[in-house]
Every structure is written in structure tokens, then in C-alpha cells.
Amino acid sequence: MAADIELLFTGLAASADKFLFGTSTVAVVRTGRELIVFDTGPYACRPILQGRLRRAGIDPAEVTKVVLSHLHWDHAANADLFAAADVLVHTRELEAADRTIGRDWAIPEYTVRALRRLRLRPVSTEIELAPDLRIVELPGHTPGSIGLLVGDKLLAGDAVGSAREAATRQPGAYAGGEEDALASLDKALAISGIIYPGHDRPFRVGPPIGHISDYELKIRLFSDPSGHDEELHFGAAAAKSFATWPGN
């Protein structure tokens, strides 16, 4: 049976001036004897993640591998839910985390400590986990960013943060270097037909670049302690809609 991608969380392409959303893509890949989780989301989403695993019929103890695209707080904080799994992280990512522990706000100290107690399996090169299932190196956003290529579908982490980054050919934040970030963005676009970005809906590489699913977002504001909450609704105006960004 060919491997396929099942989303537990779809990354959110949004920002706010009051807080960080931290909603990143979390996915499951089932193939043969392997049950793989790609990224684990932020700690604040832990109870929701556990609920979505249950609804998907997934026992965390049966997950065989966890692939962490990088070690930022919004992608790696729940790896310890999968104590029986091999946790795959690039060696450059681990080395960078050890160098900056306690000084990098994006990598909490507890994340690194927790990883060291798990079945950590550092990877130092691109490797094939199964037929049509390959870990690819995508440095730039962080020194050891990696993705998981499933056939022609790429779970990219923040090497491709959103469809806008792909359409404008402008990578987002790059702690691992701008030149590497741009090279990894180009590589991701070259090797895949569909990309699951770190903070956005999946999209076709095209041309043209276009999302493959719709979206709806509700934000509730507890603005009046004695009255009604304020609720904002956002959604795509048309099925599989996508704005054409300048320069696309």
C-alpha cells in the first residue's frame, strides 16, 4: 500500500501583534509496518493532539517513528508523547540546540532535555525510510531543518512556511542562513508536486501555485466580562481559492 499523508493539524498562515499563534502542521504517514508522526506541535496543543490521535485510531505507543523538522517550540514540544518511537532529528539541529541552550527563545530547554530521554536517532544525511518515503535535508530556517518526502508530496516544516513564500520565492525566518534557506525553498519546489508547509494549508507547486483545500478560522475574544463574547470568522471566498501574490 502506498504511503499517504493524514493531517492532524493544518498550519495556520497568520500572525498577530499580541501573541504567537504557533499553529504548525502535524501529520501522520502510514506505510507497511511504519506509523510515522511528522512534527508534534506546541505544548499548548497537547490535549487537542491527544484527542485527534484518538479520533484517528492511533495509539501513541504504536507510533514507530517521529520525524522532527526542527526543534522550535511550535514543532517539537510533544515528542515525548511517543516514548516507544525512534525520534529522528538532524545532527546539525541537535548540535545547534546544544550550543544555544538557554539562550534561544525558540528552543525551550525542556525540549532538549526531553529529547535526550527518548529513543533519539540522529540523522546526518538524506535517508530512505521505505519505498517512496525519504528524509530530505532542507537547512536554512534552522541549521538542521529536514522534510519528509512521501511520493511527490513534501512535508516541509518551516523550510517552506507558507504558499506565499513559495509564490514570492522569499523564505521566512532563517536562523540557519539566508542562502541556505533560499536553496532549500528552491529544492522543495523542485522535488515535489504538493507541499505541506509548516504554517499553511497544503498547496500544489504548479504553476500556478494553489491551495488544494479550503479553510475556515474562528477567533473568540473575551472582550466583555458581563456580556457576549466577540467572535470573528475568516474563510476562503471560493473553493480552493488562492490569492496571486505580487511577483508570482
Side-chain angles (χ1 to χ4, degrees), residues 182-207:
L182 182 56
S184 290
L185 176 59
D186 288 342
K187 176 180 178 179
L189 294 170
I191 65 175
S192 57
I194 294 175
I195 291 179
Y196 291 70
H199 294 277
D200 197 2
R201 294 169 287 154
F203 64 89
R204 288 190 183 86
V205 170

Side-chain angles (χ1 to χ4, degrees), residues 24-50:
S24 59
T25 295
V26 178
V28 173
V29 178
R30 307 174 195 253
T31 176
R33 297 180 180 178
E34 297 280 17
L35 180 57
I36 300 170
V37 171
F38 181 87
D39 279 350
T40 63
Y43 193 80
C45 291
R46 191 181 185 93
I48 305 172
L49 174 60
Q50 291 171 308

Side-chain angles (χ1 to χ4, degrees), residues 45-92:
C45 291
R46 191 181 185 93
I48 305 172
L49 174 60
Q50 291 171 308
R52 292 186 180 182
L53 287 166
R54 284 193 297 272
R55 286 198 295 274
I58 296 171
D59 180 349
E62 296 177 351
V63 171
T64 57
K65 287 184 174 62
V66 173
V67 177
L68 296 179
S69 64
H70 60 297
L71 296 183
H72 282 176
W73 65 276
D74 53 336
H75 289 259
N78 296 305
D80 61 305
L81 289 176
F82 309 99
D86 292 336
V87 180
L88 281 64
V89 185
H90 202 285
T91 53
R92 285 196 299 269

